[in-house]
Amino acid sequence: APTVEQLADILRLDRWAPPWSPLVPIQPLGERTALFLVHGVGGHVLRFRALAQQLAPVQPVFALQAQGLDGAQPPLSRVEDMAARYLEEIRKVRRTGPYYLAGYSFGGFVALYGIPETIALIRSALSRPPMRPESSPQHGFPPAVFLNLEAPAS
């Protein structure tokens, strides 16, 4: 809206809602290569706020929340579908890889198996292999590559 008054009119509409996106810019500023964090099983990304604050102001941090949290879109149930959707959103920020990814719990699984062109994966201390290794592809999680966030971006 071009004026504050027109914006206020839009906000007063009964059914108005901001456009929803799985991409959440938690800390979008900084000169380093952006870090993308994938949600855990609950789908929410609020848990990443404190990490982003610790990395500010030099490290851009974006999170990927689960589709369907808004109640308007159907949730995605396949890792491949989530990864494809999230990659679309990541490419809005950075058109080509390599990408810096991390995931919380289930999000680590999506980041490890679903998104190509990944240069580094950061495995959260809270991200554990499945209880039964035979339940996941390749019988467990592959080792993660640890990224030193203090290093300058390339």
Side-chain angles (χ1 to χ4, degrees), residues 29-71:
L29 304 175
E31 67 269 7
R32 294 188 177 157
T33 300
L35 172 63
F36 297 92
L37 304 170
V38 183
H39 65 84
V41 168
H44 296 279
V45 296
L46 295 175
R47 71 177 69 249
F48 298 133
R49 185 173 171 262
L51 173 62
Q53 288 175 328
Q54 292 296 312
L55 299 173
V58 296
Q59 180 67 56
V61 178
F62 294 83
L64 294 151
Q65 64 184 343
Q67 180 174 302
L69 291 177
D70 63 347

Side-chain angles (χ1 to χ4, degrees), residues 135-148:
S135 67
S136 67
Q138 300 177 2
H139 303 292
F141 285 88
V145 176
F146 290 89
L147 168 67
N148 178 359

Side-chain angles (χ1 to χ4, degrees), residues 40-41 47-48 103-108 122-130 141 146:
V41 168
R47 71 177 69 249
F48 298 133
Y104 176 78
S105 185
F106 172 75
I122 303 167
R123 183 173 162 196
S124 165
L126 300 174
S127 182
R128 298 183 188 100
F141 285 88
F146 290 89

